[in-house]
Structures are given as structure tokens and as C-alpha cells.
Amino acid sequence: MLNYIWAAMIIVGILFGAINGNMKEVTEAALDSAGEAVSLCIAMAGIMALWVGLMEIAESSGLILRLTNGLSPFISFMFPGLPKKHKARDYISMNIIANILGLGWACTPAGLKAMEELAKLEAERGTPGYLDDSKGAGGKRERIASNEMCTFLILNISSLQLIPVNMIAYRQQYGSVNPAGIIAPAIVATFVSTAVAVVYCKVRDRH
């Protein structure tokens, strides 16, 4: 659906520019935006390479392991049905740590791995209804997300951030006088969103 919305917006913009005789401006804006997008990607690639490298160093030094152990009580609280030694716990912890550090791109691999492990766990449990008997698109049965999957997804979206690296990089790229000025508002906003997410997940677990 989102692809259709973007396509419609682009087509309407081009038609509007053509009708009003502003095709030159539309073309220049498209070319300028393309060049700006490439510059932004290069800048973000360097920043993410730095932080991902730091994460690798932290993992090699044992810091990530200590942080993961520190998150263990929280993981047990949020995922009471998740076995203590299950691989998903490590991936969930790494995802949360990356999110707290504002490494949205770096946390994606851990998030995907966590979802894979949670899916395997449901398959091992043989949870009734894990495969929906109702036919979805194309006549195929659809997988139903488990409680752990939904909880992890909500936590990942709300994601408490202490250092919003991506936002700081964007603000610096676009000439902000104080790129780090977003830190305090980001901490408050993400703390509230995470608190709401935790309360929501625990309330839904009771039903």
C-alpha cells in the first residue's frame, strides 16, 4: 500500500508541474534530491560503520555479554515463556542494546535473528493455531505471530534511546547548529513510549 501511495504522490507532482509549466523546476529538484540522497547515504554509512565497529569491539571485550546478563531480569519479565538458555534471549538483548544506543540500522540483523528463533520455538512447541487454518492471499495458510513475537516487535518499535545516533547524524548533515540537542527530548519521548509498550504487553498477556 505504501508503494502505491508514494507512486501516486510522484505522479501527481509531475502532472501538477507539467500543467503549471514548472517541469524545469521539477527536473532540477529531482536531480538535486538524488545527489543529496547519495551524499546522505555516504555520510550515514561512515557513521554506522564506526558504531557497528564499536559494537564489535564491545562484543569481543565481553561488554555486550555483561550488558546482556544485566538485561536478563528484564527479558525474563517481558518474556516469561521464553526458556532461560534459548538463543532468542541473546538476540533480543543485542537488539535492545543497539536500540538504546540509537543504532537503528545495526539492530536489524539481531532483530531478524530473534524473530527466526522465536518462530522456531513456536514450531517446537507445536502451539495450536500457530499456522492459521483460514486461507490467506493465494490460498496459502498464514503464520500467526506468537505472544513473544508481538512483545518483541512492540519493544523494538518503542525502543528507548539514550544516544539517537541516526537523528544526530541527520541533523548534522543538514546543518543543525546543535545536532546533539535532540538527545534530551529523544530520551523523554522514547522512555514514555517504552513504558507504555511494557504496560500494554503485560496487560495483553493477562488476556
Side-chain angles (χ1 to χ4, degrees), residues 117-127 130 143 149:
E117 293 299 329
L118 291 175
K120 291 178 183 178
L121 177 62
E122 287 304 300
E124 292 169 1
R125 287 172 175 170
T127 304
Y130 177 58
R143 289 185 181 276
M149 290 179 180

Side-chain angles (χ1 to χ4, degrees), residues 103-141:
L103 304 176
W105 294 352
C107 73
T108 301
L112 294 175
K113 285 290 186 181
M115 280 296 188
E116 289 179 3
E117 293 299 329
L118 291 175
K120 291 178 183 178
L121 177 62
E122 287 304 300
E124 292 169 1
R125 287 172 175 170
T127 304
Y130 177 58
L131 280 177
D132 189 4
D133 291 331
S134 62
K135 291 185 177 181
K140 297 180 180 179
R141 294 191 300 171

Side-chain angles (χ1 to χ4, degrees), residues 35-143:
E36 187 175 330
V38 173
S39 299
L40 180 60
C41 286
I42 294 173
M44 291 303 299
I47 293 170
M48 293 308 299
L50 171 64
W51 280 95
V52 170
L54 291 175
M55 286 286 286
E56 289 292 332
I57 293 173
E59 185 175 4
S60 299
S61 67
L63 178 60
I64 296 297
L65 179 61
R66 287 194 289 271
L67 291 174
T68 299
N69 292 335
L71 282 174
S72 184
F74 177 74
I75 300 298
S76 298
F77 172 72
M78 293 303 302
F79 304 91
L82 192 60
K84 291 287 186 182
K85 300 296 183 179
H86 200 272
K87 290 182 180 179
R89 294 176 67 94
D90 294 336
Y91 290 125
I92 291 172
S93 297
M94 289 184 67
N95 179 270
I96 291 174
I97 292 169
N99 268 321
I100 289 176
L101 296 177
L103 304 176
W105 294 352
C107 73
T108 301
L112 294 175
K113 285 290 186 181
M115 280 296 188
E116 289 179 3
E117 293 299 329
L118 291 175
K120 291 178 183 178
L121 177 62
E122 287 304 300
E124 292 169 1
R125 287 172 175 170
T127 304
Y130 177 58
L131 280 177
D132 189 4
D133 291 331
S134 62
K135 291 185 177 181
K140 297 180 180 179
R141 294 191 300 171
E142 297 178 350
R143 289 185 181 276

